[in-house]
Amino acid sequence: MDAFYASVEQRDNPDLRGKPVAVGGSRERGVVAAASYEARQFGVRSAMPSVTAIRKCPQLIFVRPRFDVYKAVSREIHEIFAEYTPMIEPLSLDEAYLDVTENLKGIDTATGIAREIKEKIREKTGLTASAGVSFNKFLAKIASDYRKPDGLFVIKPSQAEAFVETLEVKGFHGIGRVTAEKMHKMGIFTGADLREQPVENLVKHFGKAGRWYYQIARGQDDRPVNPDRIRKSIGAEETFSTDLEEIELLLNELWPISEEVWRRAERAHLYGKTVTLKVKFGDFEQITRSRTSLQPLTEQPVYERIIRDLFDSILPLRKGIRLLGISLSNLDSLDDLEGRQLTLPF
Amino acid sequence: MKFIVSSSALLKQLSAINGVVASNPIVPILENFLFQLEGSVLTVTASDLQTVMITEIEVESSDKGAIAVPARLLLDTLRGLPEQPITFKIDADTFGTEIVSENGRYKLSGENPIDFPKVPAVNKTLSIEVAADVLGKAISNTSFAASTDDLRPNMTGMYVQLGENNTTFVATDGHRLVRYRRQDLRSALATSLIIPRKALGLLKSSLPSDNTVVKADFSQSNAFFSFGNIKMICRLIDERFPDYENAIPVNNPNILTINRLELLGSLRRISIYANKTTHQIRLRIAKDELVISAEDLDYSNEATEKLNCDYNGEDMEIGFNAKFLIEMLGNLSTNLLQLRLSAPNRAGILVPNDQDESEDILMLVMPVMLNTYA
């Protein structure tokens, strides 16, 4: 979907149409969750601190996010996808990979399907979407970003390598800011630069990911579209309006976060073994502390005791804290009995 | 302060208690041995705050004094020296320690002995005497099953139940449990306590394997062991041990009798093919035949073996973690053993087919659910 949250807001509130809109908190510590295309012209981007966004675009209108509405739209889109294939791998609320090699409507070309889906999305939700069509996930993702908004772009097998060569590595899905900077230092700016690197060299600098970079530089990606991608973690975090130093205040913030994570896990019938506490200090230094239990944590008091221990392990504080987050990983579903090690009844 | 000691005799005694010294202790002073000299007796203490080990050694001296010496540095030095008398010269003001050997001098900076934590005093409520080999057997039979999970502190040690007729040692991690009972070990006063896992390991490795008498005193919060010239004091786990007796199923009508080593060998081979995280294996038991199999779906590996056995009971399929079974079988010494079962979702019990009169061992392991049973 194009500028998803912002487009939904503009759809539902005509006053916002044609204006620079940012979804997110406008307060000092807020962050832009999504920016309308009008706002993007001023250089406003998602994940940008709101203060920076306002500096770039003083007339920017901030709107509070309405996640319930976005989720409802997400479901509508998903229903449309499901008319074409059961092989849907969601990437986020507004993005998904579809494997249409065999589709339910017997349409010959993927491009034809993409066109139909875009049309249906517009009819049903009043929003525009961009589609990328190719023969693997990596290229499809790149293609979908290539002609936004309301785009449809196809990368054919014969064009793949030449296409990847021209792209900047920092735009590759899966290459983040840090990796991109590291590549720049190595003189790798484009797909063509990346392609010149021998695989050994990439593995030396980037570990296992190096092999992956070697493949994508050649437009190769053999990951299947995985319709039941398993959740790896459940987490929540909170950025405070001012840096906090007092332990009591921090704990007051920490418990609701821990409660939220526990509730979400419970709703999903999942239990974690690893609890991670994330701390971002006022100067943006970030640390994590985690602890893994041998058994899935099925009791909330035990989970809370771990959080308290993890919190205590960062004391005494050297500086104020900007953000606290908790996540549960190593998830296990108690619905599935197969392979479960039973425990003694005490 | 000055004393002369044989390098190898000192090394032997220090090695016996060195296991206590943590590599990264909470307080730096614990990286040291505490030396306390009183005439010809040198007392050496090592501590990690939970456990303290003390040994005594004869030296040539008429001085009196104390010093804390860096453990690692001293041991490395002693290990490198051929057997010879060495002289320790300690400056009581600077804590500088000099070791003089036949052809060398080694200077270490010691620490103030005052900083070394005080050793808890023996404030005993109960004393028993036990042969070193019996205690050692109790520890090796049970402690492997103790939990390493700090979140369940009550399971991270060996539970000792002293009674008028016998003494029972129990360890469990919530998935398996070992109960070892000695009829020949009794106490006039019935009591129970939990000895932490680390202390058990240290005790086991320094206990002689003969019937040397170990004197054990217990107070409310500590256990004191002394044997030969070694003393060990450990803090007890102040928690309630799980109600283990009620977790042992009484009615287990399906009884498999099998050669322990044959089963162990088979499990070791089959487990190679089991899933690397669950170590799940499947036992299919029918009349006088046991089929053990495992599969790792991630790699399409699978293996099956058939073993002869004696089986009285209903046909059954039950899953177990192979690592647990292997560890338990390895800690039994019997020739023939019995696996007693009730249902695929209830504990399996391992017992030797015939036991000594003086001892009674029972091992219990919880199954892993198979997809055929839900």
Side-chain angles (χ1 to χ4, degrees):
Chain A
M1 301 300 291
D2 301 320
F4 183 46
Y5 299 170
S7 303
V8 173
E9 296 306 330
Q10 287 179 320
R11 177 193 74 178
D12 294 352
N13 181 355
D15 290 348
L16 298 174
R17 289 181 199 159
K19 292 181 184 153
V21 175
V23 177
S26 61
R27 287 172 309 155
E28 198 191 334
R29 307 302 275 274
V31 167
V32 176
S36 71
Y37 280 92
E38 295 82 359
R40 291 186 194 192
Q41 283 175 358
F42 291 89
V44 177
R45 296 277 178 275
S46 56
M48 180 179 273
S50 301
V51 218
T52 317
I54 293 168
R55 209 171 45 233
K56 286 188 185 275
C57 176
Q59 66 272 44
L60 188 63
I61 305 166
F62 273 91
V63 184
R64 292 211 146 274
R66 296 178 300 155
F67 287 104
D68 293 344
V69 180
Y70 311 147
K71 275 182 198 159
V73 176
S74 176
R75 270 195 297 276
E76 285 181 316
I77 302 166
H78 206 90
E79 280 165 17
I80 298 173
F81 296 158
E83 292 174 25
Y84 294 85
T85 175
M87 300 292 284
I88 305 164
E89 177 180 331
L91 259 178
S92 59
L93 277 186
D94 67 322
E95 261 181 314
Y97 291 116
L98 275 65
D99 182 343
V100 293
T101 315
E102 288 180 30
N103 65 79
L104 301 171
K105 298 210 166 173
I107 301 171
D108 298 344
T109 65
T111 316
I113 294 174
R115 207 170 285 133
E116 269 198 41
I117 290 179
K118 270 167 55 79
E119 195 45 49
K120 281 209 176 144
I121 289 177
R122 191 197 309 275
E123 270 170 31
K124 219 169 164 183
T125 69
L127 299 167
T128 63
S130 293
V133 177
S134 195
F135 57 96
N136 65 38
K137 290 206 295 195
F138 173 71
L139 292 170
K141 168 78 180 155
I142 284 187
S144 75
D145 291 335
Y146 201 66
R147 284 284 152 80
K148 269 175 179 287
D150 201 12
L152 171 57
F153 192 73
V154 184
I155 303 176
K156 293 185 183 136
S158 57
Q159 307 162 334
E161 289 194 32
F163 187 79
V164 173
E165 276 186 3
T166 61
L167 295 173
E168 285 190 79
V169 287
K170 69 174 187 206
F172 284 13
H173 183 58
I175 295 187
R177 188 176 52 85
V178 177
T179 308
E181 275 171 17
K182 208 169 153 187
M183 287 189 173
H184 290 169
K185 280 193 190 126
M186 293 167 67
I188 306 170
F189 293 91
T190 64
D193 297 336
L194 185 60
R195 225 186 126 159
E196 279 171 24
Q197 293 287 328
V199 66
E200 301 78 28
N201 203 24
L202 290 172
V203 170
K204 198 178 93 199
H205 284 94
F206 302 102
K208 222 166 76 182
R211 200 170 298 278
W212 165 246
Y213 302 147
Y214 181 83
Q215 284 182 12
I216 59 175
R218 285 155 183 76
Q220 297 165 1
D221 172 9
D222 48 18
R223 294 170 305 162
V225 170
N226 186 352
D228 24 52
R229 214 159 67 134
I230 321 157
R231 277 192 89 142
K232 288 192 178 146
S233 68
I234 295 173
E237 56 185 50
E238 180 77 38
T239 304
F240 313 128
S241 48
T242 52
D243 293 347
L244 300 180
E245 271 179 71
E246 255 179 86
I247 291 167
E248 202 163 321
L249 293 179
L250 283 162
L251 286 173
N252 281 344
E253 299 289 343
L254 187 62
W255 294 127
I257 303 173
S258 100
E259 180 69 30
E260 169 71 16
V261 172
W262 186 260
R263 224 165 32 81
R264 283 192 209 167
E266 238 177 11
R267 249 195 336 241
H269 290 251
L270 290 169
Y271 292 93
K273 284 189 198 160
T274 303
V275 184
T276 304
L277 171 71
K278 170 169 151 189
V279 180
K280 200 185 267 180
F281 292 101
D283 60 2
F284 284 86
E285 187 205 345
Q286 184 178 307
I287 57 169
T288 57
R289 294 286 177 268
S290 68
R291 182 133 159 221
T292 300
S293 158
L294 297 176
Q295 290 166 35
L297 297 164
T298 52
E299 293 160 48
Q300 198 173 358
V302 179
Y303 158 80
E304 285 175 348
R305 199 164 77 201
I306 297 178
I307 290 175
R308 186 57 212 251
D309 283 355
L310 291 173
F311 181 76
D312 287 347
S313 75
I314 63 163
L315 304 176
L317 292 176
R318 295 161 287 126
K319 47 197 173 186
I321 289 180
R322 176 189 173 84
L323 170 150
L324 282 177
I326 289 169
S327 69
L328 261 175
S329 53
N330 247 320
L331 300 174
D332 221 339
S333 163
L334 288 192
D335 297 341
D336 181 17
L337 279 174
E338 159 79 14
R340 171 158 309 283
Q341 168 70 57
L342 300 180
T343 52
L344 282 156
F346 43 63
Chain B
M1 161 177 127
K2 184 180 154 182
F3 62 88
I4 301 168
V5 63
S6 141
S7 65
S8 58
L10 182 61
L11 175 60
K12 184 167 171 250
Q13 292 306 312
L14 294 183
S15 303
I17 64 167
N18 179 45
V20 182
V21 182
S23 51
N24 197 4
I26 311 165
V27 271
I29 186 79
L30 298 175
E31 286 171 352
N32 296 275
F33 288 124
L34 173 67
F35 279 18
Q36 288 165 298
L37 181 66
E38 186 130 25
S40 64
V41 179
L42 175 69
T43 307
V44 187
T45 307
S47 167
D48 71 354
L49 293 179
Q50 304 294 318
T51 312
V52 182
M53 285 186 89
I54 303 167
T55 184
E56 281 178 3
I57 178 166
E58 284 279 326
V59 297
E60 208 175 291
S61 175
S62 52
D63 289 357
K64 187 171 163 28
I67 177 80
V69 198
R72 171 79 68 78
L73 202 55
L74 178 58
L75 277 170
D76 286 348
T77 309
L78 292 174
R79 283 192 193 108
L81 280 175
E83 151 62 13
Q84 62 189 289
I86 49 175
T87 308
F88 281 75
K89 291 179 187 165
I90 292 137
D91 184 327
D93 297 324
T94 64
F95 311 118
T97 302
E98 187 175 291
I99 305 170
V100 182
S101 73
E102 214 163 79
N103 41 14
R105 295 149 65 85
Y106 315 91
K107 274 192 166 169
L108 301 72
S109 53
E111 304 263 352
N112 192 341
I114 301 288
D115 297 336
F116 204 88
K118 291 278 162 295
V119 174
V122 183
N123 188 8
K124 63 182 175 189
T125 54
L126 175 75
S127 299
I128 57 162
E129 288 191 347
V130 52
D133 51 354
V134 171
L135 182 58
K137 203 169 171 192
I139 295 172
S140 53
N141 272 340
T142 57
S143 63
F144 73 90
S147 174
T148 50
D149 191 348
D150 299 340
L151 298 171
R152 326 252 337 230
N154 61 338
M155 296 191 203
T156 56
M158 174 175 76
Y159 182 59
V160 186
Q161 240 178 336
L162 291 155
E164 287 171 43
N165 303 315
N166 56 39
T167 294
T168 308
F169 304 88
V170 188
T172 180
D173 63 0
H175 296 139
R176 59 215 166 128
L177 179 147
V178 182
R179 185 191 70 191
Y180 179 62
R181 190 167 277 160
R182 291 294 301 205
Q183 311 295 347
D184 54 357
L185 189 59
R186 294 167 195 176
S187 158
L189 207 65
T191 190
S192 57
L193 44 105
I194 309 171
I195 303 174
R197 204 184 151 106
K198 182 181 176 189
L200 293 171
L202 294 167
L203 191 56
K204 177 78 180 77
S205 58
S206 54
L207 275 176
S209 49
D210 55 20
N211 59 359
T212 305
V213 172
V214 178
K215 223 174 141 283
D217 298 328
F218 303 103
S219 75
Q220 203 64 9
S221 50
N222 290 290
F224 304 82
F225 299 92
S226 65
F227 48 95
N229 50 7
I230 291 179
K231 287 195 187 76
M232 185 175 118
I233 300 142
C234 72
R235 185 158 320 152
L236 297 170
I237 296 175
D238 185 19
E239 295 269 345
R240 213 175 66 81
F241 197 75
D243 181 12
Y244 73 93
E245 280 294 356
N246 282 327
I248 303 175
V250 190
N251 196 10
N252 308 289
N254 306 297
I255 297 178
L256 171 87
T257 309
I258 192 163
N259 181 291
R260 181 180 65 95
L261 290 176
E262 278 176 24
L263 178 59
L264 184 56
S266 176
L267 286 169
R268 285 203 174 117
R269 289 184 295 271
I270 296 292
S271 67
I272 300 169
Y273 292 82
N275 179 290
K276 294 287 173 279
T277 46
T278 64
H279 305 285
Q280 176 183 334
I281 52 131
R282 182 184 294 255
L283 306 185
R284 205 166 61 233
I285 320 168
K287 183 141 185 55
D288 300 339
E289 190 183 79
L290 167 65
V291 178
I292 308 178
S293 62
E295 57 190 4
D296 188 344
L297 295 174
D298 295 345
Y299 298 93
S300 344
N301 296 338
E302 56 171 282
T304 309
E305 283 193 23
K306 264 182 206 166
L307 292 179
N308 287 324
C309 65
D310 181 56
Y311 182 60
N312 277 308
E314 294 166 31
D315 289 5
M316 195 185 301
E317 253 191 272
I318 186 166
F320 285 110
N321 177 328
K323 265 177 70 177
F324 288 170
L325 281 182
I326 290 169
E327 206 169 18
M328 296 172 112
L329 291 177
N331 276 289
L332 287 167
S333 50
T334 176
N335 201 5
L336 278 179
L337 65 81
Q338 286 185 6
L339 173 60
R340 299 179 185 163
L341 303 164
S342 57
N345 62 347
R346 301 210 63 201
I349 292 176
L350 286 165
V351 287
N353 203 30
D354 39 20
Q355 303 220 37
D356 245 19
E357 266 180 25
S358 59
E359 58 179 3
D360 165 17
I361 188 163
L362 175 145
M363 297 190 176
L364 174 153
V365 57
M366 290 302 286
V368 171
M369 288 303 277
L370 297 175
N371 54 4
T372 47
Y373 184 91

